[in-house]
Amino acid sequence: MLRYIFRRLLVAIPTLLLLIIICFLLMHAAPGGPFTSERKLPPSVLANIEAKYGLNQPLFVQLWDYLTGILLHFDFGPSFQYKDRDVNDVIATGFPVTLTYGTISFVLATVVGVALGVLAAVRHNTLLDYIAVGVTFSAQALPNFVMAPILVIIFTWQLGWLPGGGWNGGQWQYVVMPVIALSTSYMASIARITRSSMLETLHSNFIRTARAKGLPTRKILWRHALKPALMPVLSYLGPVFVAMITGSVIIDMYFSTGGIGLNYVNAAFNRDYAVMLGVTILYGALTVLFSLVVDVAYAWVDPKIRY
Amino acid sequence: MAVTQYSKSLEDTAERLTERLSQAEAIRGRSLWFDARVRFFGNKAAVGALVVLILVIAFVLIGPSFAVWSNEEIDWGRMGDIATAGRPSIETGHYFGLDDLGRDLYSRTIQATGTSLLVGLVGAFVAVVIGTLYGAVSGYVGGWVDGAMMRAVDILIAVPYMFIIILLMVMFDRSFYMLFIGIGATSWLAMSRIVRGQTLSLRHREFVEAAQAGGVGGFTIIIRHILPNLLGVVVVYATLLVPEMILVESFISFLGLGVQEPATSLGRLISEGAGTIAYGTIWQLLVPLTFFLLTIISLFFIGDGLRDALDPKDR
């Protein structure tokens, strides 16, 4: 097992390095730097600014500085837009918020999705199953950016129950809508995957054997069916994690929750490459880390996998 | 009497039988595609979705000839009071009302739906071409090449793409082509895995070995013998990729980082509509949202129907 984790780490580290290098080079290949604006700066001023940010040095020196900065000091460098804030500040203020509602959404989508899928599979071809299939199929077409305005219309404008945005230190009223908006479509996908793999499991021989020896249905489900049925769901959690991270950008923008997303979008508009690059790398690192966790969990749960 | 009748009916049957037997030569075998068509059109949800999608496409194509206002004109007379004067109405010619700036939402919606469909199709096409070729080559060549190519996919699949596409869009001034390339070029990974798996199972079949024995080159075998056999799987996943591409594009456009004005897309319109719900102009959100959902859901159902029809294993 340890060897397997070690081998996976060996793949994860070059992946991260590659990601950083590709993003860095892309950024520098872009026409127009962060300081090209409407108003032309005098060449001497521009040269001074570029010298301050180290942009006048050869490309590989810049890359080396950037890489060592991240790896040794966990320093993503200064922001090109704000004089008094560097990328670390942007991340430090926004990340806890994103992490909070992201985690809640992730857990909610997984738990509710799995429960719904199992229920639909157990009550196969009943009204409940049909409703679950219909709802989840349509809900897959409700991404966060569609859910967010719909929720605001219903709960803020019509009913007046929830505030339409803000964070307020994470009070529950402010968390409800971001979480629902972020989790709906993934909940639906998870439910669909769970349902189909549960149906397949319930029709397999070992379940029939368990029924034949007279085990009660509840025991069959918990003891025998659930684990193999959840394997496909487990491998789907990686993509869900990526999608949720990405979706948080929409949530931060629409609900003004104060996460990293809004900073990221603003950075994109202002060509603040340092912030964009920092956020992309942070999210890339999280993704790689999470897929590592999923793989290890998979290998741990599935007896068929040898490592 | 009864006996003659019986023998007559027997004669009839025999006659019909010979007739059918003689015709049987003319009956052609049921091909995979014929079977698939029968199965697809037997699926009510898929057929209904196909009708809806055709209606949406027809709306994009024919709709402009019914438009009173173009998508760029600003209705100066009504733009001061969009919440009341800009409501959807037949008399003013603004069937879907006005947008935030006083432009006709009917024409804007046609334009946006067209853009989104185009992005979906082109993006899926790019992804399918890259993914299929990559997967087919990897699976056919095998050995360490296969290993290396699939490890590369494993690495790339762990990258949060949306950020890379946004990075590209920001760098290249939000050009339309960059959007196509960015979306297509980052979505071929799943496709390549599926195609590789299929190719692996085809690689040692007799017809491929026959081609190899006949001295056909590797690339020709892939194009002429492997790809046609992958067509079913490719068609299914291509159909499922189209709504996915539309979702990606809408996501980026919702952030305001997609196509630039005066071009627009459904994501952009939804974003604009979502920004103005406080002013009582709810149609600005509902109209593009309706078209978005109609398109996406019908594409989902069509893809699902095609999968059931072409990939019976998965049912």
Side-chain angles (χ1 to χ4, degrees):
Chain A
M1 191 71 193
L2 271 175
R3 263 189 61 203
Y4 176 76
I5 296 175
F6 183 70
R7 273 223 322 270
R8 282 291 284 105
L9 265 176
L10 274 188
V11 180
I13 291 165
T15 307
L16 261 181
L17 281 179
L18 204 69
L19 177 71
I20 296 176
I21 293 171
I22 289 175
C23 291
F24 187 86
L25 292 180
L26 268 178
M27 182 175 104
H28 283 262
F35 303 111
T36 39
S37 52
E38 301 286 300
R39 200 160 53 91
K40 269 263 183 298
L41 292 168
S44 59
V45 175
L46 197 63
N48 276 340
I49 295 178
E50 287 191 339
K52 181 177 177 250
Y53 287 101
L55 291 172
N56 56 349
Q57 279 170 337
L59 194 59
F60 72 91
V61 175
Q62 290 185 42
L63 177 60
W64 179 251
D65 287 348
Y66 191 72
L67 268 180
T68 48
I70 292 177
L71 297 178
L72 299 181
H73 317 292
F74 208 71
D75 177 13
F76 288 100
S79 159
F80 289 156
Q81 204 63 38
Y82 311 105
K83 270 194 222 73
D84 52 337
R85 297 176 78 193
D86 56 18
V87 182
N88 284 23
D89 290 337
V90 171
I91 290 175
T93 49
F95 192 57
V97 175
T98 311
L99 196 66
T100 307
Y101 70 74
T103 312
I104 300 176
S105 307
F106 189 78
V107 173
L108 189 77
T110 313
V111 171
V112 177
V114 166
L116 205 64
V118 169
L119 212 64
V122 172
R123 302 255 182 279
H124 188 41
N125 283 338
T126 61
L127 187 65
L128 188 95
D129 183 31
Y130 296 142
I131 292 173
V133 169
V135 168
T136 51
F137 203 93
S138 317
Q140 276 184 304
L142 292 174
N144 36 49
F145 59 87
V146 168
M147 281 306 284
I150 292 178
L151 287 174
V152 168
I153 287 179
I154 296 175
F155 291 108
T156 306
W157 294 106
Q158 296 298 320
L159 301 172
W161 287 354
L162 296 167
W167 184 244
N168 207 10
Q171 262 183 304
W172 69 268
Q173 297 98 322
Y174 294 84
V175 186
V176 174
M177 287 202 291
V179 164
I180 297 177
L182 193 53
S183 54
T184 302
S185 66
Y186 307 111
M187 204 186 283
S189 307
I190 291 175
R192 279 173 61 78
I193 292 174
T194 311
R195 176 179 172 274
S196 67
S197 93
M198 193 65 178
L199 278 179
E200 210 183 305
T201 312
L202 287 179
H203 285 127
S204 58
N205 291 336
F206 70 94
I207 296 295
R208 201 176 45 203
T209 309
R211 279 196 202 289
K213 75 176 185 188
L215 283 184
T217 308
R218 195 153 43 96
K219 211 164 191 176
I220 293 178
L221 280 181
W222 284 107
R223 206 40 100 60
H224 298 283
L226 205 58
K227 202 167 125 183
L230 287 186
M231 298 307 290
V233 180
L234 190 58
S235 60
Y236 181 66
L237 289 185
V240 168
F241 183 80
V242 177
M244 286 216 166
I245 274 187
T246 323
S248 73
V249 176
I250 295 266
I251 301 298
D252 284 335
M253 200 185 88
Y254 195 76
F255 290 110
S256 312
T257 33
I260 303 181
L262 190 60
N263 288 315
Y264 181 79
V265 175
N266 285 338
F269 277 116
N270 295 330
R271 287 173 166 268
D272 189 346
Y273 292 144
V275 171
M276 289 186 77
L277 201 55
V279 174
T280 308
I281 290 170
L282 175 73
Y283 283 170
L286 280 177
T287 314
V288 170
L289 198 72
F290 189 81
S291 71
L292 184 73
V293 172
V294 166
D295 279 3
V296 171
Y298 206 100
W300 184 51
V301 177
D302 190 354
K304 275 183 283 186
I305 287 188
R306 296 186 192 290
Y307 36 84
Chain B
M1 183 76 174
V3 175
T4 50
Q5 208 163 32
Y6 175 73
S7 73
K8 188 149 169 42
S9 82
L10 199 68
E11 241 166 65
D12 262 7
T13 319
E15 211 167 286
R16 261 185 292 148
L17 200 64
T18 45
E19 202 178 327
R20 282 182 66 184
L21 275 174
S22 65
Q23 273 179 352
E25 280 174 328
I27 293 174
R28 288 173 57 222
R30 289 159 68 101
S31 70
L32 169 74
W33 295 98
F34 180 82
D35 273 353
R37 205 159 54 226
V38 170
R39 274 198 293 261
F40 183 81
F41 284 107
N43 183 339
K44 285 199 193 75
V47 174
L50 190 64
V51 172
V52 171
L53 187 67
I54 289 172
L55 287 178
V56 170
I57 294 172
F59 172 73
V60 172
L61 296 177
I62 306 169
S65 45
F66 297 104
V68 182
W69 303 79
S70 85
N71 56 341
E72 285 172 356
E73 270 175 281
I74 291 176
D75 189 350
W76 298 102
R78 294 190 183 84
M79 74 166 290
D81 186 19
I82 290 170
T84 51
R87 280 178 181 287
S89 88
I90 305 285
E91 294 121 58
T92 56
H94 301 296
Y95 310 125
F96 294 166
L98 290 176
D99 80 352
D100 194 29
L101 292 177
R103 287 171 298 187
D104 183 36
L105 197 58
Y106 177 76
S107 292
R108 296 268 291 162
T109 307
I110 291 174
Q111 188 195 7
T113 314
T115 311
S116 288
L117 283 172
L118 196 66
V119 170
L121 286 175
V122 176
F125 180 76
V126 174
V128 163
V129 169
I130 300 178
T132 309
L133 281 178
Y134 192 93
V137 168
S138 174
Y140 181 74
V141 175
W144 68 269
V145 178
D146 180 37
M149 285 174 89
M150 281 301 121
R151 277 304 83 69
V153 169
D154 288 347
I155 290 178
L156 287 173
I157 226 157
V159 173
Y161 284 102
M162 207 62 85
F163 296 94
I164 305 284
I165 299 175
I166 291 175
L167 212 61
L168 282 175
M169 290 299 284
V170 170
M171 282 169 197
F172 293 95
D173 286 326
R174 290 182 244 162
S175 88
F176 222 67
Y177 300 104
M178 214 53 221
L179 189 66
F180 287 154
I181 296 170
I183 291 179
T186 50
S187 319
W188 55 271
L189 297 164
M191 188 81 215
S192 74
R193 276 185 173 170
I194 294 158
V195 167
R196 171 183 171 267
Q198 291 284 313
T199 310
L200 278 180
S201 70
L202 288 171
R203 190 166 62 143
H204 294 300
R205 297 275 282 274
E206 289 85 350
F207 63 94
V208 176
E209 280 175 0
Q212 281 167 337
V216 183
F219 190 70
T220 318
I221 291 183
I222 290 176
I223 297 288
R224 206 174 287 154
H225 301 287
I226 303 273
L227 285 189
N229 284 296
L230 295 173
L231 216 54
V233 186
V234 171
V235 166
V236 170
Y237 283 91
T239 330
L240 291 171
L241 263 178
V242 176
E244 218 171 287
M245 300 294 101
I246 294 179
L247 281 170
V248 171
E249 190 277 330
S250 300
F251 183 96
I252 295 172
S253 290
F254 187 90
L255 292 174
L257 295 166
V259 291
Q260 260 183 316
E261 293 281 343
T264 190
S265 81
L266 286 176
R268 185 96 204 92
L269 284 190
I270 292 173
S271 166
E272 284 170 13
T276 57
I277 43 177
Y279 312 123
T281 53
I282 199 165
W283 64 86
Q284 292 177 357
L285 174 65
L286 290 187
V287 170
L289 204 58
T290 310
F291 277 88
F292 177 83
L293 291 180
L294 281 180
T295 312
I296 296 283
I297 294 182
S298 64
L299 279 167
F300 273 165
F301 271 110
I302 292 171
D304 225 44
L306 274 178
R307 176 165 46 199
D308 286 350
L310 280 169
D311 195 5
K313 189 201 83 194
D314 216 49
R315 267 180 300 172

